[in-house]
Amino acid sequence: VEAQMDRILARQVIGGPKIPFREVLQPLADIHFNNDYRDTHHKANMPTLYALTGIALFILILAVVNFVNLSTAQSLQRAKEIGVRKVMGSGRRGLVVQFLVETGVLTVLAVMFAALLVLPVMRAFRDYIPDGVRFHPLAPLNILFLAGITASVTLLAGFYPARVLSGYHPVQTLKGSGSMKGGEKWWLRRSLIVFQFTISLVFIIVTLVIGNQIRFMLNTDYGFRTDAIVTVLGEWNDTTQKIKVLEQQFSRLPGIAQVVRENDPPAGWGRSNWGMTYKGKKVVQFSPTVEFADERYIPFYGMRLVAGRNIRHSDSLTEFVINETGARQLGFAQPASAIGQMLYIQNKPYPIVGVLADFHEASFKEAIQPAVIGNSPRNEWMLGIKLASAGKGIENVRTTLDAMAKSYKEVFPGQTMHPHFMDDEILEMYDEEQKTASLVRVAMGLAIFISCMGLFGLSLFTAERRAGEIGIRKVLGATTGDIALMLNRQFIRLVLLALVIASPLAWILAHRWLQDFAYRVPVDGWVFVLAGLGAIGLALVTVSYQSIRAAMASPVKSLKAE
């Protein structure tokens, strides 16, 4: 069907040269989530939804791990309670049920609180959520989902602590030696802290890489100017050439420095490919993107000619300027060799008069493609405007835009002007990447916060468990600094171990994400060093207070019961 449509369009298209057009059918069911279709039906992006779901699961897993860590760390405080309950007749199964119920109550309260926060969070993330999405907490499916989440989290977070706490022997706990039970699971708590910081470090490293790539894409030279340039679309297939009238009116406005006619700016979503033929030593079928513009287009956008000359003024298409990639695809090792060669459209020859330095027509996800620029007034339905008022404040820009809108209404009475700033067009090409970066930053912040909470709980448990040892060390002459250093050292080791584990995982994730871009930054070593230093700094801030507090405690209190 597509092949038949192409043939019909090639024969029947009105107002342009008879060229082989290309039309693509798109499945209706695929429009909503497929990012390839940039139209009004495009509402959501599947990778963003996957990212949101993945981030939610990671945060939930971190919270569960943190709960297990803190619950087992608090075992010393509950040891005597468990001993008394067992002496009074409680069995292990009953204690397990009791602790699971406690966890369940906390989880239910958390789910209720989360349900209340959904609406404000949806408002905060409205850029990521399609219009029309609503949260109905009492809908049957939502109730089922919330109940499932509550049960799952209760079992995941509560079962292990319940099993550990219910296994204490009353004789040991009631005579004061139950603390040894908490020390037996020291390896588990350290493993959980390493796991938490591994996830946090993965988020930190990936966030740094994504931010580095976005800065690279937004700050790299695209091969043309974008500052203070606005594009305005006239009337498609403007046979009466009203666009020239609008051009003259715009040129007389005081806030406008320069105006050019074009069918598209150098970069953006609107691009078309034409089928051409080069008949040299061998025949080359050529399908470059085509830009129609007047002779001012190339200097207006600051594009650089590497060979030949600019296109000249003409009332019809007579010649082309091509880019370096196009020249190479035609077989010319040197740009100057392409000058004077002919491109054929439906057997009509058009000379190549110049070669432009490559410029990016699309985002950095796509490699630079062959492109040609020609002068064809009947296909130039858009204006590129350089604002002279751009450096004089936002009010001057608004005044100029208002004057432009008034002139536009006079020329096209039934239409409304929709100006597009070139800088915004570039930003829009990376909308999904910037959303992903924002989501990962939020996830990183939450992961770090949860990990630091776990580390604080572990430092509290460590200080309590080693109180006697600290007292003996102080009696034997250890200073507060020595003891604080001793306690902090073990936590730094855990963070360094997490960095060793996280680095290859983060490199794989970052490398895979970067593979979507034809032009990308490398994953440099400084990213891992900076992430490690940041995590160590956070760990020290988190545990130092507790370490110094334990080091400054009087040894009399910790040793009087020994």
Side-chain angles (χ1 to χ4, degrees):
V1 173
E2 289 178 348
Q4 294 177 71
M5 289 172 60
D6 291 342
R7 287 196 293 271
I8 292 170
L9 283 167
R11 288 197 309 268
Q12 303 296 334
V13 67
I14 298 171
K18 302 297 187 292
I19 58 163
F21 279 84
R22 187 80 182 92
E23 291 294 332
V24 180
L25 295 174
Q26 58 188 48
L28 186 62
D30 204 23
I31 291 175
H32 188 69
F33 289 113
N34 195 324
N35 200 34
D36 292 336
Y37 305 133
R38 308 296 299 194
D39 55 27
T40 55
H41 300 95
H42 183 73
K43 299 294 184 185
N45 181 261
M46 190 60 79
T48 301
L49 296 179
Y50 285 145
L52 282 168
T53 305
I55 287 169
L57 287 174
F58 268 122
I59 291 170
L60 193 59
I61 291 168
L62 283 178
V64 167
V65 167
N66 215 29
F67 185 85
V68 171
N69 204 1
L70 293 173
S71 296
T72 53
Q74 286 181 320
S75 59
L76 299 180
Q77 282 78 21
R78 303 203 66 174
K80 289 188 177 181
E81 174 198 341
I82 294 161
V84 171
R85 287 181 180 276
K86 283 196 169 184
V87 169
M88 299 298 291
S90 293
R92 185 168 187 180
R93 181 178 296 178
L95 288 170
V96 168
V97 171
Q98 175 201 333
F99 291 128
L100 282 175
V101 169
E102 290 177 4
T103 305
V105 170
L106 289 174
T107 307
V108 168
L109 290 173
V111 168
M112 291 171 62
F113 188 54
L116 293 175
L117 286 175
V118 167
L119 289 179
V121 169
M122 284 180 69
R123 280 195 288 270
F125 284 83
R126 59 184 176 273
D127 291 338
Y128 305 85
I129 301 170
D131 294 335
V133 174
R134 299 289 182 269
F135 175 61
H136 303 286
L138 300 180
L141 280 177
N142 285 341
I143 291 174
L144 185 64
F145 170 75
L146 294 175
I149 284 287
T150 303
S152 301
V153 172
T154 299
L155 288 173
L156 287 171
F159 181 74
Y160 180 79
R163 187 172 174 275
V164 170
L165 294 174
S166 64
Y168 284 169
H169 298 293
V171 174
Q172 290 180 325
T173 56
L174 291 177
K175 73 176 184 179
S177 59
S179 61
M180 293 302 295
K181 188 72 177 178
E184 293 170 8
K185 301 300 180 183
W186 172 241
W187 63 269
L188 175 68
R189 276 180 279 280
R190 286 191 295 187
S191 299
L192 294 177
I193 288 297
V194 169
F195 173 78
Q196 286 183 319
F197 266 89
T198 297
I199 299 299
S200 299
L201 281 162
V202 167
F203 277 123
I204 293 171
I205 293 167
V206 171
T207 299
L208 291 173
V209 172
I210 292 175
N212 202 20
Q213 175 66 17
I214 290 175
R215 282 192 299 275
F216 169 70
M217 294 186 298
L218 295 180
N219 297 324
T220 299
D221 181 14
Y222 272 68
F224 55 87
R225 262 198 311 262
T226 60
D227 294 341
I229 292 178
V230 180
T231 59
V232 173
L233 182 64
E235 189 175 69
W236 186 81
N237 204 12
D238 178 19
T239 55
T240 59
Q241 293 289 289
K242 289 182 181 179
I243 197 73
K244 290 185 177 180
V245 178
L246 184 64
E247 176 194 356
Q248 291 170 1
Q249 293 209 18
F250 279 179
S251 298
R252 290 194 289 266
L253 294 176
I256 292 176
Q258 192 178 0
V259 183
V260 296
R261 291 192 312 277
E262 59 191 23
N263 75 322
D264 276 312
W269 301 114
R271 288 178 292 155
S272 59
N273 292 73
W274 281 26
M276 301 181 185
T277 305
Y278 168 66
K279 300 176 182 179
K281 292 180 180 179
K282 61 178 181 178
V283 176
V284 179
Q285 297 298 326
F286 192 51
S287 297
T289 58
V290 178
E291 305 288 353
F292 292 121
D294 64 30
E295 66 280 4
R296 297 164 296 176
Y297 183 85
I298 290 174
F300 176 84
Y301 283 105
M303 304 165 87
R304 186 169 60 88
L305 279 165
V306 294
R309 61 171 174 81
N310 188 14
I311 53 175
R312 290 173 178 159
H313 177 76
S314 174
D315 292 331
S316 62
L317 182 61
T318 57
E319 58 191 17
F320 284 120
V321 168
I322 68 172
N323 66 348
E324 290 176 297
T325 297
R328 284 192 296 270
Q329 194 172 105
L330 293 175
F332 301 110
Q334 297 298 324
S337 303
I339 305 303
Q341 301 298 318
M342 295 293 177
L343 293 175
Y344 290 84
I345 302 175
Q346 301 257 321
N347 292 320
K348 184 177 179 180
Y350 296 89
I352 298 171
V353 298
V355 179
L356 282 173
D358 278 337
F359 59 96
H360 293 271
E361 294 181 282
S363 75
F364 278 30
K365 286 187 173 182
E366 300 178 31
I368 293 174
Q369 299 297 315
V372 301
I373 299 173
N375 191 333
S376 179
R378 63 180 176 180
N379 291 307
E380 295 161 8
W381 308 315
M382 183 182 287
L383 295 179
I385 301 108
K386 174 73 174 177
L387 298 180
S389 57
K392 301 177 181 177
I394 191 66
E395 288 303 322
N396 284 316
V397 173
R398 285 191 185 132
T399 301
T400 302
L401 291 176
D402 289 342
M404 287 168 57
K406 184 178 178 182
S407 298
Y408 190 90
K409 277 285 187 185
E410 293 173 0
V411 179
F412 300 106
Q415 299 184 43
T416 303
M417 185 183 78
H418 297 286
H420 295 277
F421 281 86
M422 279 295 297
D423 287 335
D424 292 339
E425 291 280 327
I426 301 297
L427 285 172
E428 188 181 346
M429 290 195 292
Y430 303 113
D431 183 55
E432 293 302 330
E433 286 72 29
Q434 294 185 82
K435 287 180 178 178
T436 300
S438 298
L439 289 175
V440 175
R441 280 196 294 270
V442 171
M444 178 187 72
L446 288 171
I448 290 172
F449 177 72
I450 293 170
S451 300
C452 288
M453 284 179 62
L455 192 62
F456 183 80
L458 183 61
S459 66
L460 189 67
F461 168 78
T462 303
E464 193 166 327
R465 175 174 164 268
R466 300 181 69 176
E469 176 195 344
I470 292 169
I472 292 170
R473 286 180 180 274
K474 290 199 74 172
V475 169
L476 293 175
T479 64
T480 300
D482 294 333
I483 294 171
L485 181 63
M486 176 193 71
L487 292 174
N488 285 346
R489 189 185 296 128
Q490 62 182 328
F491 298 116
I492 301 305
R493 287 178 185 150
L494 296 180
V495 175
L496 289 174
L497 178 59
L499 179 62
V500 171
I501 298 171
S503 294
L505 295 175
W507 185 88
I508 291 169
L509 289 173
H511 182 71
R512 286 185 177 178
W513 184 79
L514 288 170
Q515 293 311 299
D516 288 339
F517 299 91
Y519 307 96
R520 51 186 177 265
V521 296
V523 183
D524 293 321
W526 68 263
V527 172
F528 301 95
V529 174
L530 185 60
L533 291 174
I536 289 171
L538 286 168
L540 286 174
V541 169
T542 303
V543 303
S544 289
Y545 168 75
Q546 193 59 43
S547 299
I548 294 170
R549 184 168 171 267
M552 294 179 66
S554 172
V556 175
K557 292 183 180 179
S558 58
L559 295 178
K560 67 180 180 181
E562 294 294 330

